[in-house]
Amino acid sequence: MHGYSDMTMRMKTINEIHLDFHFERVFGTRPRVFRAPGRVNLIGEHTDYNDGFVMPAAVGFSTYVAIAPRQDRKLVVHSEEFPGNFEFDLDHLPEKRVGAWCDYVLGVASVLRQQGRELAGANLLVSGKVPIGAGLSSSAALEVSSAFAFLSLTGNHLPLPEIAKLCRQAENDFVGAKVGIMDQFVSCMGKAGHAFLLDCRSLEFKFVPIPAGLQLVVCNTMVKHDLATGAYNTRREECEAGVRAFAKWDPSVHALRDVSVVLLDEHANDLPATIWKRCSHVVRENARTLDAARALTTGDLARVGELMHESHNSLRDLYEVSCRELDLMVEAAEGLPGFCGGRMTGGGFGGCTINLVREENAEEFAKRIAERYREATGIRSQVYLCSAEDGAGELN
Ligand code: GLA
């Protein structure tokens, strides 16, 4: 098991050193600095909260939290990018979201306190470099870096999966987005050069090497989504309705993870159409994810590409979480040199697509897909050439 003590350590870059100086200018002391990355999900979408399988990778965009203790019981939270400076009394923290970015930091503090862990007065300076609302998990990156920072103050050591769980709880209970465990888990445990096949029921995982010569190209539609708004939570409720129905037919069903394709098809006409579509996506997406992990391991990129294509279509037609811009971005990749597979990534309703592209074609791919997307939509997109990176850690 990976523990908090063997988290990643690496030297600071120029930007990160700048955060130290900025902190010292604002608060007058030297901080410790923690970093947590965002992620892309290669396949396994909307399966995590159904006890299913996902295959994400941590990427090079990170959120940084610089922290130093205070002598009083105040929590003072500033950011380099986000508006507003916040000050809270540790002994009277808000019980619910205040409706600002600091909710992710407060949520973590609030769960740590619920767990009976000691909290100390602190100054925090946040620098968020994960694009917001782009489906790259800026929220998980902020939660995880905050959790590392808070725990460092009191010398509390927690295993990384526990940190991931407490961050998810912060987002579920405090922020009110009923997300699964994927984003927080991969932000904690990511490994450079690897994707990550995670069983969201047992939390067992296996690193899957990304074949040499393959680049992760992330294309931002620039259409923002907001998971805390209703649609995501509605999908969850629809899945729960599906579980209740299948459990009547087969009492061994506790989550959609337990529904086989045979059982699913047997009841195609017994469920309301919308519920059946949602279940059908999840059941088949789990199978696709396992299949994709095998294909990536053996370097069968043609198969990975097919599975990503099916995943996107299923998210568009059955789960109904894509949007016109995501569909156009996926189409824009088709036929470009070096393209091996692509789909929407993350919660949906906007955000990014993930594309597997041969390294030697990646720059040209980035240019051409941006042109095609602009012709189709009039929108100037952002395209990021990414690789799989290590999970969260302290900078020294
Ligand atoms: C968001 C959530 C994840 C997951 C994805 C969809 O990123 O945070 O838990 O449910 O959507 O796969």
Side-chain angles (χ1 to χ4, degrees), residues 19-52:
L19 181 66
D20 274 11
F21 283 125
H22 187 182
F23 187 97
E24 209 171 340
R25 231 176 25 244
V26 177
F27 295 115
T29 44
R30 296 289 299 214
R32 286 174 75 180
V33 181
F34 296 86
R35 176 195 69 85
R39 61 99 191 93
V40 286
N41 189 17
L42 302 189
I43 195 161
E45 216 66 86
H46 289 278
T47 44
D48 60 352
Y49 51 85
N50 290 300
D51 275 3

Side-chain angles (χ1 to χ4, degrees), residues 39 41 44-49 54 135 137 171 179-184 227 232 346-348:
R39 61 99 191 93
N41 189 17
E45 216 66 86
H46 289 278
T47 44
D48 60 352
Y49 51 85
V54 294
S137 275
E171 192 154 346
V179 296
I181 191 73
M182 168 168 70
D183 304 350
Q184 293 79 6
L227 286 186
Y232 184 94

